């Protein structure tokens, strides 16, 4: 997102704060609805974030304000937007609204990528790590497996960690002994405690942790050296993760840029696949 956008200014207000999980949820909801945030009542914000009204008041106090009215006044000064009118949104059914919500998430991601620095840094770290660890549990396991599948076509040693349990730390140890320097984590709600513990352990062992998370305020933030946020859609019974998936592909592209033999490996794979008749044309 643009550094001068209402969403960016809101995020700057929250960054570096020690927020509880409930407060991070409120902050995330406000960033996603940055244009509306300065005009929402505490009750409306509570409903939007799925928390209690007193939680919104405590959130404002945690940010250093006397109460929610003082926070809202501040927001109108530093992140002015404009309330969204019903009209067009109300004309769409719930399925269309879910799709439109994901389109908005992708727009936010496109704005964030206007500064390519973090992605380029991540690409260098991923390319240099031999082996490369890819972590994602529960809801994020498909993101980790997808990233690992494509990464293995160009990277010489990719190890996907998509199952928790007592072996997780052992596999981190084994990769570290083999020379691993980085771990990329896909972290989506609800955030498993095992993922947070695994990242803390990985960093203690000297690994650099790169996280793709649904918010800059996600629980994994405290254990990440580099976190790039990509929002999930919450309009359906189960969250949708188009933006995190696309960000994963962007990171793969950045990694390929730092692997000089990436194109040769892809061409070699295509030749083998053709010889084996692997795909139906």
């Amino acid at each position: 997102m643009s550094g001068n956008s209402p969403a960016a200014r809101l995020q700057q207000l929250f960054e570096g704060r020690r927020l509880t999980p409930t407060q991070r949820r409120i902050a995330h909801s406000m960033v996603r609805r940055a244009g509306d945030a300065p005009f929402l009542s505490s009750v409306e914000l509570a409903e939007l974030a799925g928390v209690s009204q007193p939680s919104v008041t405590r959130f404002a106090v945690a940010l250093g304000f006397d109460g929610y009215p003082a926070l809202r006044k501040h927001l109108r000064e530093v992140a002015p937007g404009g309330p969204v009118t019903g009209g067009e949104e109300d004309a769409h059914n719930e399925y269309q609204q879910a799709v439109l919500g994901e389109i908005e998430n992708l727009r936010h991601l496109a704005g964030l990528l206007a500064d390519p620095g973090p992605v380029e840094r991540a690409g260098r770290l991923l390319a240099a790590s031999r082996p490369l660890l890819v972590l994602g549990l529960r809801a994020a396991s498909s993101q980790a497996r997808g990233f690992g599948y494509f990464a293995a076509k160009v990277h010489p040693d990719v190890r996907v960690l998509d199952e928790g349990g007592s072996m997780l730390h052992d596999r981190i140890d084994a990769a570290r002994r083999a020379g691993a320097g980085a771990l990329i984590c896909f972290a989506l709600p609800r955030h498993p405690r095992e993922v947070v513990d695994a990242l803390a352990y990985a960093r203690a062992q000297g690994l650099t942790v790169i996280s793709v998370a649904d918010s800059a305020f996600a629980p994994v933030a405290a254990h990440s050296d580099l976190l790039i946020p990509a929002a999930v859609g919450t309009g359906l019974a189960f969250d949708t993760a188009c933006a995190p998936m696309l960000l994963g592909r962007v990171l793969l592209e950045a990694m390929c840029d730092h692997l000089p033999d990436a194109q040769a490996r892809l061409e070699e794979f295509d030749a083998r696949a053709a010889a084996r008749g692997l795909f139906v044309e």
Side-chain angles (χ1 to χ4, degrees):
M1 67 189 72
S2 167
N4 199 38
S5 69
R9 290 195 291 273
L10 270 177
Q11 189 152 305
Q12 289 168 6
L13 174 65
F14 304 141
E15 283 177 351
R17 305 279 186 170
R18 295 184 62 85
L19 302 176
T20 68
T22 296
Q23 290 166 351
R24 287 196 297 267
R25 189 171 181 175
I26 297 169
H28 179 49
S29 297
M30 292 179 74
V31 170
R32 290 190 65 227
R33 295 285 295 274
D36 297 345
F39 303 92
L40 297 173
S41 69
S42 59
V43 173
E44 289 171 331
L45 179 56
E47 291 177 351
L48 179 65
V51 301
S52 68
Q53 190 273 339
S55 294
V56 172
T57 300
R58 288 192 291 270
F59 170 71
V61 173
L63 293 177
F65 298 93
D66 293 336
Y68 181 71
L71 170 59
R72 187 167 64 173
K73 181 177 182 293
H74 178 74
L75 294 181
R76 291 181 180 182
E77 296 170 353
V78 302
V84 175
T85 56
E88 185 176 347
E89 183 173 328
D90 293 343
H92 298 116
N93 62 44
E94 61 180 309
Y95 311 123
Q96 291 175 300
Q97 288 179 21
V99 172
L100 293 171
E102 282 289 52
I103 291 172
E104 187 59 29
N105 288 339
L106 292 172
R107 287 198 181 101
H108 283 156
L109 178 59
L112 181 73
L113 295 176
D115 175 10
V119 167
E120 291 173 351
R121 179 189 170 201
R124 286 192 296 271
L125 291 167
L126 297 174
S129 184
R130 310 291 174 87
L132 171 61
L133 285 173
V134 184
L135 172 64
L137 302 183
R138 294 186 180 268
S141 62
S142 61
Q143 303 289 332
R145 286 195 296 270
F147 184 95
Y149 171 79
F150 290 112
K153 294 181 183 296
V154 294
H155 192 288
D157 191 352
V158 178
R159 305 185 187 185
V160 176
L161 309 178
D162 59 355
E163 294 183 1
S166 61
M167 294 291 291
L168 188 54
H169 285 195
D170 293 347
R171 296 179 69 189
I172 291 172
D173 285 338
R176 185 63 177 139
R177 286 195 299 270
L183 177 153
I184 180 169
C185 172
F186 290 87
L188 301 177
R190 302 172 62 186
H191 295 274
R193 185 179 302 277
E194 276 186 297
V195 170
V196 177
D197 293 343
L199 294 190
Y201 183 77
R203 290 184 84 197
Q205 304 314 304
L207 288 169
T208 299
V209 172
I210 301 152
S211 291
V212 172
D214 60 298
S215 165
F217 316 108
V220 298
H223 305 290
S224 301
D225 297 287
L226 174 61
L227 185 149
I228 307 176
V232 301
T234 57
L236 301 175
F238 300 101
D239 290 345
T240 50
C242 295
M245 182 187 71
L246 182 54
L247 178 55
R249 300 299 188 268
V250 168
L251 289 168
L252 282 168
E253 185 76 11
M255 183 182 75
C256 287
D257 290 341
H258 295 281
L259 289 170
D261 58 347
Q263 187 58 39
R265 285 178 177 271
L266 286 174
E267 291 173 0
E268 181 183 353
F269 173 81
D270 286 341
R272 290 199 308 268
R276 295 165 56 194
L278 193 57
F279 301 110
V280 178
E281 299 297 337

